[in-house]
Each structure stands twice: as C-alpha cells, then as structure tokens.
Amino acid sequence: MPYLLISTQIRLEVGPTMVGDEHSDPHLMSILGATKRTTLGNNFCEYYVNDAPRVVLDKLESLGYRVVSMTGVGQTLVWCLHRE
C-alpha cells in the first residue's frame, strides 16, 4: 500500500493521530502501535495511535514514507504520504 493518509483534529495536535482506515495494512498498523476503533455513529473503523502527528511522521519516514502534501480541512489537519 504505497499511499497513506494520517490526520488529527487541530485542538488535538499532541494526539491521538488517525493513521488508517479499516482496509489499512495490519502489519504497518502493528508497527505504528495503532488500535482499531469505531466512533459512535460511524459504520466504519479507523486506526489510531496516541502519539502526536510529528512522532507518527518520524516513524513513517524511517519506514520509507515521504510527505506528498498537507492541508487543513475545517478543524482537521491531513497529511498524505507515499512510499516507493
């Protein structure tokens, strides 16, 4: 899976960080220490870590991922990463 989106709420820039959806690579999620959660009212799961986005970005860089773009969407910060 060469592309990955991570995000966090602006008021939660110290964590937790959303690192994947229910179809994400389970091995990568294990390396990141992510746990799968379903938010009340959603019919899908997401993977979260308690780390700040900066810590997650450092871990992903060591695994060969590079940031392609970053944006703010409402009160959410989103990073798109790619691995060759």
Side-chain angles (χ1 to χ4, degrees):
M1 203 177 271
Y3 285 95
L4 181 67
L5 290 176
I6 70 168
S7 67
T8 192
Q9 297 294 310
I10 290 174
R11 67 186 189 286
L12 301 173
E13 62 269 359
V14 297
T17 303
M18 196 278 289
V19 294
D21 61 28
E22 59 192 350
H23 305 291
S24 295
D25 177 9
H27 179 67
L28 176 60
M29 297 298 110
S30 175
I31 291 171
L32 294 174
T35 55
K36 194 185 277 190
R37 300 182 195 165
T38 302
T39 304
L40 184 63
N42 289 349
N43 62 352
F44 56 89
C45 300
E46 297 171 309
Y47 282 95
Y48 285 88
V49 295
N50 288 325
D51 297 327
R54 179 191 58 78
V55 174
V56 176
L57 290 167
D58 287 347
K59 288 180 182 179
L60 289 168
E61 182 181 32
S62 71
L63 296 171
Y65 285 88
R66 299 291 178 257
V67 173
V68 175
S69 64
M70 186 273 178
T71 190
V73 181
Q75 295 294 309
T76 304
L77 301 173
V78 182
W79 293 262
C80 177
L81 296 95
H82 183 267
R83 185 184 65 197
E84 292 295 329

